[in-house]
């Protein structure tokens, strides 16, 4: 997969010396986040379920001179998450930034929603975010600093017909972000969430064209977002410029939800 060459708005030393983990980094928003973090000077550990696809992105970034490490990890499996954190510490001796980006959809009207589709979406989006956050807290608390950035969705704020499972998981991430932010604030760790609107990726490519047109009408900026728009918000929240911001939900949605 190609990754953008458009230059970051941030300085190359914004995050230099920092180590970041990005989950779900094999494509879409996660790949763009990994790229922007690299451009900002961070060492980046990329994970997704498939070793092959995440290695491809990591290799592309390495060929541009960035420091990356690719690893297969299914965030809905506790043992995989623990291995991810352990391996990152082995490779880089520290973790400064965790971006909980991996997510899935299994859309269906509630009347016809299968238990397994409810479970899968909650397990990946919400429980996976919890597993990664819980596992990273010990090293972050030890070093008395850290940035956790969770990718929620505007759907978690306003709901969406056909996405009861996804909306519940994304709203859950918002509550989880605020509770965790309160727990770890005195340890020098900030926890924030980003709620993207409609961003053009494989996930939204599944939405029928007619529905996409209707959605565009709801966006005051009259444009779908790019993965890099979310990635830039991540870099800001990960940087020292955001040191006094915690427990917040930053919407990156072209004004779709106000
Ligand atoms: P995508 O489907 O293009 O990519 C998702 C990534 O997560 C892939 O790398 C996939 O391999 C990985 N992944 C899925 N399940 C995983 C698991 N169990 N363990 C590890 N990795 C896993 O999705 P997209 O659009 O890039 O979305 C990224 C995040 O942004 C998701 O959390 C999504 O819910 C959220 N989001 C996306 C929006 C959009 O319009 N595209 C809008 C709002 C939120």
């Amino acid at each position: 997969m190609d990754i953008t060459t458009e230059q970051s708005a941030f300085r190359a030393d914004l995050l230099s010396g920092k180590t970041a983990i990005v989950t779900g980094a094999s494509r879409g928003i996660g790949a763009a986040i990994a790229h922007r973090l690299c451009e900002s000077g961070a060492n980046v550990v990329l994970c997704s379920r498939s070793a092959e696809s995440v290695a491809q992105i990591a290799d592309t970034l390495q060929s541009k001179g960035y420091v990356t490490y690719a690893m297969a990890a299914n965030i809905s499996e506790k043992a995989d998450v623990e291995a991810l954190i352990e391996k990152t510490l082995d490779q880089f001796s520290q973790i400064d930034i965790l971006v909980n980006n991996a997510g899935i959809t299994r859309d269906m009207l509630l009347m016809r929603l299968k238990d397994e589709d409810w479970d899968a979406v909650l397990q990946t989006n919400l429980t996976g975010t919890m597993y990664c956050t819980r596992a990273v807290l010990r090293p972050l608390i030890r070093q008395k600093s850290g940035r956790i950035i969770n990718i929620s969705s505007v759907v978690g704020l306003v709901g969406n017909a056909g996405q009861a499972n996804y909306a519940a998981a994304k709203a859950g991430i918002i509550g989880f972000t605020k509770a965790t932010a309160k727990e770890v604030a005195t340890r020098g760790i900030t926890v924030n969430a980003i709620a993207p609107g409609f961003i053009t990726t494989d996930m939204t490519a599944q939405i029928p064209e007619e529905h996409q047109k209707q959605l565009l009408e709801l966006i005051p900026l009259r444009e779908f977002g790019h993965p890099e728009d979310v990635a830039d918000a991540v870099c800001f929240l990960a940087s020292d410029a955001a040191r006094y911001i915690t427990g917040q939900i930053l919407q990156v949605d072209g004004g779709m939800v106000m």
Side-chain angles (χ1 to χ4, degrees):
M1 192 205 126
D2 192 25
I3 45 178
T4 179
T5 51
E6 212 179 288
Q7 205 51 43
S8 164
F10 295 104
R11 293 194 325 258
D13 62 351
L14 187 77
L15 301 171
S16 66
K18 307 280 186 199
T19 297
I21 298 175
V22 183
T23 68
S26 68
R27 58 174 192 252
I29 295 173
I33 292 170
H35 191 192
R36 280 292 197 253
L37 288 170
C38 282
E39 286 181 322
S40 302
N43 306 320
V44 180
V45 175
L46 299 89
C47 100
S48 86
R49 286 163 303 183
S50 145
E52 209 178 292
S53 52
V54 82
Q56 211 183 318
I57 298 291
D59 289 349
T60 309
L61 291 170
Q62 266 179 26
S63 70
K64 291 171 186 261
Y66 301 126
V67 181
T68 62
Y69 184 81
M71 199 175 152
N74 181 343
I75 58 146
S76 65
E77 298 286 342
K78 197 162 38 176
D80 277 21
V81 169
E82 281 161 8
L84 171 69
I85 303 304
E86 212 172 292
K87 200 78 199 163
T88 304
L89 289 171
D90 281 354
Q91 287 291 317
F92 297 105
S93 322
Q94 69 187 65
I95 302 170
D96 303 285
I97 301 155
L98 167 67
V99 186
N100 283 309
N101 165 77
I104 58 165
T105 51
R106 298 270 179 92
D107 298 353
M108 185 52 67
L109 291 173
L110 183 57
M111 290 262 285
R112 282 188 268 139
L113 183 67
K114 295 194 184 100
D115 288 357
E116 60 257 38
D117 289 340
W118 170 269
D119 291 344
V121 169
L122 269 288
Q123 184 66 23
T124 298
N125 294 276
L126 184 56
T127 308
T129 294
M130 183 278 285
Y131 283 158
C132 294
T133 304
R134 190 174 60 185
V136 90
L137 278 187
R138 203 178 297 277
L140 296 191
I141 286 173
R142 214 180 296 128
Q143 76 197 25
K144 299 191 181 66
S145 68
R147 295 292 157 90
I148 299 170
I149 299 151
N150 299 323
I151 307 299
S152 175
S153 166
V154 291
V155 167
L157 293 167
V158 294
N160 193 24
Q163 289 197 309
N165 49 0
Y166 185 74
K170 293 300 190 182
I173 287 178
I174 290 172
F176 176 76
T177 297
K178 294 179 182 182
T180 311
K182 287 183 177 177
E183 278 189 31
V184 300
T186 58
R187 311 302 191 112
I189 303 166
T190 66
V191 189
N192 291 289
I194 293 173
F198 188 110
I199 309 293
T200 45
T201 68
D202 289 356
M203 189 179 266
T204 44
Q206 300 161 18
I207 298 172
E209 208 172 310
E210 200 46 43
H211 190 197
Q212 290 201 20
K213 274 193 199 145
Q214 290 163 1
L215 283 169
L216 201 53
E217 293 295 307
L218 303 174
I219 302 171
L221 288 181
R222 288 288 183 274
E223 197 191 324
F224 294 137
H226 303 295
E228 292 72 25
D229 294 320
V230 179
D232 283 341
V234 168
C235 287
F236 166 65
L237 288 174
S239 75
D240 286 345
R243 58 159 216 104
Y244 200 56
I245 300 174
T246 196
Q248 301 305 305
I249 315 305
L250 176 57
Q251 288 171 230
V252 178
D253 66 356
M256 191 178 185
V257 172
M258 310 188 185

